[in-house]
Amino acid sequence: MVMSKAASADAYLAELPADRRKELRAVRDALKSKLATSFVEQMGYGMIMYCLPLSRYPQTYNKQPLMFVALGAQKNFNAL
């Protein structure tokens, strides 16, 4: 998949074929159930990412939220 321009995780998943959407939704649900509530789900780098927002941890070297994990669909595989 080309880098997504989706504005939300739900929009990102809606772009995917049904089989890929099912797989990524299962991983997304598992991540959301296990990650601490301080992590925020947002879109970044064309993927669904979970990060510490700048409001919680503002002193990052690149002035971007501190990414912990990302979930994305590539051409031939899903990536975590």
Side-chain angles (χ1 to χ4, degrees):
M1 176 176 199
V2 180
M3 183 184 265
S4 176
K5 303 263 190 257
S8 70
D10 290 327
Y12 180 80
L13 291 173
E15 294 176 343
L16 300 176
D19 59 332
R20 304 295 285 286
R21 183 179 319 121
K22 181 180 176 184
E23 293 169 355
L24 260 62
R25 187 171 284 140
V27 175
R28 178 187 180 211
D29 291 344
L31 283 171
K32 288 173 71 173
S33 72
K34 300 297 181 187
L35 284 176
T37 57
S38 56
F39 289 98
V40 174
E41 178 184 78
Q42 64 183 47
M43 292 299 295
Y45 309 103
M47 301 177 286
I48 301 169
M49 66 183 237
Y50 298 88
C51 62
L52 287 176
L54 292 173
S55 61
R56 185 162 184 88
Y57 191 82
Q59 299 198 343
T60 61
Y61 74 95
N62 61 359
K63 309 293 186 234
Q64 297 295 316
L66 186 60
M67 183 170 42
F68 179 67
V69 66
L71 178 62
Q74 302 300 317
K75 183 177 178 181
N76 296 312
F77 61 92
N78 293 328
L80 175 64

